[in-house]
Amino acid sequence: MVPYCTPNGSLSLDPKGEDGGIQGAEQFAKNIGLLYVLIGFLTIPLSCFVLFVFTRPHLFKHSCYKIMSLNTIMDIVNLTNGCLFTGVFSIQNIHHCNSGVWVNYFVHYILVCWLSYCAASMVLALNRMLEFANKHLSDFLFTGKRAYFWFFAVFTYGFTATFFCPHKFYFYNTYGGHWAIFSDNDRTNMLLVINNFFKPAFLAFAYAVMLFFMYRRLRTSEGAKISSFQVKVSIQALATAILADCGSIGYVVISSVSFAPAIANYAGFIGELLWISLHAGTGVIYLTMNSAVKQRLKSTFCAAPQISPSEITNSEY
């Protein structure tokens, strides 16, 4: 028998399907699905707009904007997965027990995207840390086309960590509105636990080191050599990292802590919203903090005077 399914083809939260399956939550699932789709239609265009701005030649020539573009691409992909696909699965009641094993394989793709995003956020943190801690090493690792190596590293991590994880069993819980990243013999998938703890720890360490060296250099004669562009971009990256850490830690807590039944029924839904919020919030951060994004938005919707790339450079993005 297929794990997490009952003999009659109902979705179960028991690996052996001995809990009788989930019944009577179809309308709740549809409501969740409609909410996810609505959020997707509101947030994905914003991230696409940010990506459009970041990939303009006068910005994309900077290695930090190449990596920020990669992070934004992963935001868009994960928003699509977390809002649109998730919403359709809940509305149509699609799960592996009634629709086939392809649903399990599809969740593998979902996890690849999440792990790749985690790797991309850590690469951005490394880039920002080295910019102030060791500029020569930063230039060696990221300058010019070397930045594209990290694109390969990010997706290699996502694919490798997903497909070489032992005893994995992934499925979609239509009634809880979340992707269940379990193992075939237990609900705990250690790959996801380790990743979701390591990423926040690495981001916290990297940005703490960045702030230390940034402060130290600004307090000395070396401060005159620091571009305000690098400072502002680094603060924006720090803001997105704080949001990502809050979302990831919240997701881990929701997934790991035992709640009362009345709350436990909504735990997956809350965790999914946290996942969505960290990807959607990144676009909002850039919209409010990045001068190039704000200017492009004004020129698009408010007929504001166009600013040349050189003028944007002087405003330090």
Side-chain angles (χ1 to χ4, degrees), residues 187-199:
R187 291 179 62 119
T188 302
N189 185 296
M190 291 308 300
L191 164 67
L192 195 61
V193 172
I194 293 171
N195 176 82
N196 285 356
F197 273 111
F198 179 76
K199 180 180 78 84

Side-chain angles (χ1 to χ4, degrees), residues 74-287:
M74 297 315 304
D75 283 328
I76 294 169
V77 171
N78 280 284
L79 281 173
T80 302
N81 297 339
C83 295
L84 303 187
F85 288 133
T86 304
V88 170
F89 276 40
S90 281
I91 293 170
Q92 298 296 323
N93 192 29
I94 297 172
H95 53 76
H96 69 291
C97 300
N98 64 16
S99 301
V101 72
W102 71 268
V103 177
N104 303 99
Y105 293 131
F106 186 80
V107 186
H108 286 201
Y109 153 76
I110 299 294
L111 187 57
V112 168
C113 296
W114 166 247
L115 294 175
S116 297
Y117 163 79
C118 292
S121 64
M122 289 188 282
V123 169
L124 179 60
L126 177 65
N127 174 267
R128 294 298 84 204
M129 177 184 72
L130 293 179
E131 180 65 31
F132 297 95
N134 192 326
K135 186 67 168 63
H136 294 297
L137 181 58
S138 176
D139 290 341
F140 174 76
L141 293 176
F142 294 100
T143 298
K145 294 184 178 179
R146 294 189 185 109
Y148 294 116
F149 163 79
W150 297 99
F151 286 47
F152 172 76
V154 161
F155 292 112
T156 298
Y157 172 77
F159 278 99
T160 302
T162 299
F163 290 105
F164 287 92
C165 177
H167 306 295
K168 56 183 177 290
F169 192 84
Y170 310 149
F171 63 95
Y172 182 64
N173 183 342
T174 57
Y175 308 106
H178 66 95
W179 306 103
I181 312 299
F182 294 163
S183 65
D184 58 7
N185 53 12
D186 185 76
R187 291 179 62 119
T188 302
N189 185 296
M190 291 308 300
L191 164 67
L192 195 61
V193 172
I194 293 171
N195 176 82
N196 285 356
F197 273 111
F198 179 76
K199 180 180 78 84
F202 181 84
L203 295 186
F205 169 78
Y207 283 109
V209 172
M210 180 198 78
L211 290 174
F212 170 77
F213 281 99
M214 180 190 297
Y215 175 78
R216 192 175 76 169
R217 291 179 65 182
L218 289 173
R219 295 277 295 180
T220 65
S221 58
E222 293 184 17
K225 301 178 183 179
I226 299 178
S227 167
S228 61
F229 157 68
Q230 294 292 353
V231 173
K232 291 183 178 181
V233 168
S234 298
I235 296 302
Q236 294 165 28
L238 172 61
T240 64
I242 292 173
L243 176 65
D245 277 1
C246 291
S248 296
I249 293 172
Y251 187 89
V252 170
V253 171
I254 290 293
S255 303
S256 306
V257 175
S258 297
F259 297 98
I263 299 177
N265 291 335
Y266 299 96
F269 171 58
I270 296 171
E272 189 77 10
L273 288 179
L274 287 172
W275 178 38
I276 291 170
S277 67
L278 74 89
H279 296 294
T282 301
V284 175
I285 288 172
Y286 287 132
L287 181 64

